[in-house]
Amino acid sequence: MVLGGASDRAVLAAGPLAHLVTFTDELFCSDGTIRDVYPVIAVAASAAANAEVEAAIAALAKFATIPAPPVIRIERDQDGIAALIQTVLQSGLGRISNHARTMAAELVMLRRERETLFENFRVLEDAFRARNWEPASEIFAHDAFVDPKDEGIGRLMRESWVEQLLPVSSFGVSGFALHFRDVAKGAGEVIVTLDYVESGEGVAEWLVPFSDLSAGWNFFSLPKACDGSPRTLRLRVSANGAEPPSPSLGHPIASHRYAARSRSLHGDLDHRPLAMKIYAGVPGVRPTALPNSIAPSALMSGRRIEDYRLPLDALRAVADVSVSPIVPDFQTIRFLEHEDAIVCHPLPAGISAGAIANVVAPGTVRFAARATIDHPDGKPARVGFLLAPSAANLRSEIAVLEREGAARRSAYFSGWRDVVAGESASINIMLDSPIQRTMNLVVLSRAKEDSVDFSWLKVFDFRLVRHFDVEARGEAVHA
């Protein structure tokens, strides 16, 4: 109940407060949580210990249930004041503190009982599903609660991802529905992945163009219902494009574990889940109340999915490998420091290219980025990407692309995309199979019209997806 500075350890340990004091270096656990103590008063016998106590009290401010204890200086009449503090704490105040500790223990027990009730709910859910004769039945739902103040969810999807644990057993799940607030205004894709938390094994992946999504509920179907032992499903939603549609959030919930979260902090995600509906039944059957059904683009059985970004050090080391008969008097390839982007200015003839060495890791199956003309008067241009082996002669690869319009068999070419000023274009490469070795990434640009005035092509938001093989785990047979 007494908080003391570590500098006073020898002084306080020899006095009457030895069995009541907790020192500042013992107050917090390694994970930042507070130990099983409740400091009601702080003592300091030196200036150094006083500073340590003040710092510890400031750290306690994040625990809203723990008031800041007063600090008592005992450097003069140490034994007398310490004895007085001991008498006060071991009287009625000590009994109150012990009662508060007992209440905290009861709250822990209630929390454990709540988790037990939740597991029992899963068992009842499985039993209910076994007796349900509907081809596709709703087994769980977070209804949409659209708040006019909700903003920035689409930005989170574009810059990182939004993740949601499904609060039901994976056994028998044949699909789920997500609610989107509105229809996207530009072009791009929403990327939805479903995997198991326990093993990291992927279930399926959906690449959905904005035009295929409707305002309201959208059903994502599975060709095969999840089987094996009941496991925890994790849903991850991301997007690429100028302005992706925003998924709706549900009503606030008490469990932080089943609230939506993202790599970046956002106030609207605080204790609120994604609006969703989870279905079980015959796989591939669309529920009658939903307007559309979206089949997965790829099945991930036995593989793990990882979404990664290009490191800034690699982007800073971009090299000019342009192939053009024109020698400009300005730098056409450079790294834009404050925006983490590559600037690639096309030339009237040939291909302007910037190479980022050895950044595409083995196992990569998809690459995505965004491009825009970073000048209001910029002339239209074309942008593309080339994945080439690490040992390849990049200028030779680009020369073949310029001459024949297609890359060699050892490389992968995204094709050309038109970019105009004021609009953002999304470029995607979806490989037929994961690459087997590390490769170079080459940003390509060329002229679309006769003029390339102010065609400062900015390429940014590089995102790559890898697939890993996961060791098979024995699954208990579900009775």
Side-chain angles (χ1 to χ4, degrees), residues 32-167:
T33 59
I34 191 172
R35 294 186 182 276
D36 188 17
V37 296
Y38 192 90
V40 297
I41 193 170
V43 296
S46 62
N50 187 78
E52 294 172 353
V53 168
E54 294 290 348
I57 292 175
L60 288 173
K62 65 180 180 180
F63 299 97
T65 57
I66 301 178
V71 181
I72 304 298
R73 297 294 296 266
I74 61 173
E75 67 271 12
R76 295 183 180 179
D77 186 14
Q78 177 179 331
D79 294 336
I81 298 178
L84 179 60
I85 293 175
Q86 179 190 19
T87 302
V88 173
L89 292 180
Q90 290 182 344
S91 60
L93 184 60
R95 290 193 296 272
I96 293 174
S97 177
N98 292 332
H99 181 66
R101 183 178 301 177
T102 303
M103 290 179 60
E106 293 292 336
L107 288 175
V108 172
M109 294 180 60
L110 289 174
R111 182 178 180 182
R112 292 175 181 173
E113 291 177 2
R114 175 182 174 274
E115 294 294 334
T116 302
L117 289 174
F118 194 83
E119 292 298 328
N120 292 337
F121 169 75
R122 287 189 171 186
V123 175
L124 292 174
E125 175 195 52
D126 291 341
F128 175 79
R129 186 187 302 113
R131 299 179 61 86
N132 197 333
W133 294 96
E134 294 293 332
S137 58
E138 179 183 316
I139 60 174
F140 190 88
H142 277 310
D143 293 329
F145 176 63
V146 179
D147 190 334
K149 298 189 296 294
D150 288 346
E151 294 179 353
I153 308 300
R155 178 181 58 80
L156 288 178
M157 294 169 52
R158 188 175 66 244
E159 296 178 355
S160 56
W161 38 256
V162 177
E163 188 176 270
Q164 172 75 57
L165 294 182
L166 304 190

Side-chain angles (χ1 to χ4, degrees), residues 257-291:
R257 178 183 304 175
Y258 294 104
R261 69 183 186 93
S262 178
R263 183 182 301 168
S264 304
L265 297 178
H266 194 277
D268 292 335
L269 297 184
D270 187 19
H271 287 87
R272 293 184 64 187
L274 289 177
M276 66 171 65
K277 294 182 179 180
I278 305 173
Y279 294 85
V282 181
V285 176
R286 175 178 61 86
T288 56
L290 301 184

Side-chain angles (χ1 to χ4, degrees), residues 320 322-332 347-350 352:
D320 190 346
S322 302
V323 176
S324 175
I326 301 174
V327 180
D329 56 356
F330 59 93
Q331 188 177 3
T332 58
L347 297 173
S352 298

Side-chain angles (χ1 to χ4, degrees), residues 304-457:
R304 182 164 60 89
I305 306 170
E306 179 186 0
D307 189 341
Y308 70 101
R309 305 296 182 96
L310 297 185
L312 293 182
D313 291 341
L315 295 177
R316 291 190 183 98
V318 61
D320 190 346
V321 291
S322 302
V323 176
S324 175
I326 301 174
V327 180
D329 56 356
F330 59 93
Q331 188 177 3
T332 58
I333 305 294
R334 63 186 178 90
F335 174 68
L336 196 58
E337 184 69 37
H338 298 292
E339 300 188 35
D340 301 340
I342 300 295
V343 174
C344 188
H345 196 294
L347 297 173
I351 297 178
S352 298
I356 309 172
N358 301 325
V359 292
V360 185
T364 300
V365 296
R366 188 173 75 249
F367 169 83
R370 298 169 59 204
T372 184
I373 300 294
D374 198 24
H375 195 283
D377 299 326
K379 299 299 182 181
R382 290 175 176 171
V383 64
F385 294 93
L386 182 71
L387 304 183
S390 298
N393 186 324
L394 296 181
R395 282 191 168 87
S396 176
E397 297 280 350
I398 297 171
V400 171
L401 183 63
E402 166 71 8
R403 183 173 59 254
E404 301 179 4
R408 292 172 176 169
R409 295 184 60 182
S410 60
Y412 301 91
F413 176 53
S414 66
W416 295 106
R417 290 290 305 273
D418 294 341
V419 183
V420 298
E423 296 183 6
S424 179
S426 298
I427 301 95
N428 296 279
I429 299 179
M430 188 69 185
L431 306 181
D432 295 333
S433 60
I435 63 175
Q436 302 300 318
R437 53 184 175 175
T438 303
M439 303 189 79
N440 300 322
L441 171 64
V442 185
V443 182
L444 309 170
S445 69
R446 67 187 309 175
K448 181 182 178 181
E449 301 175 351
D450 296 336
S451 174
V452 291
D453 293 342
F454 307 110
S455 294
W456 292 106
L457 190 67

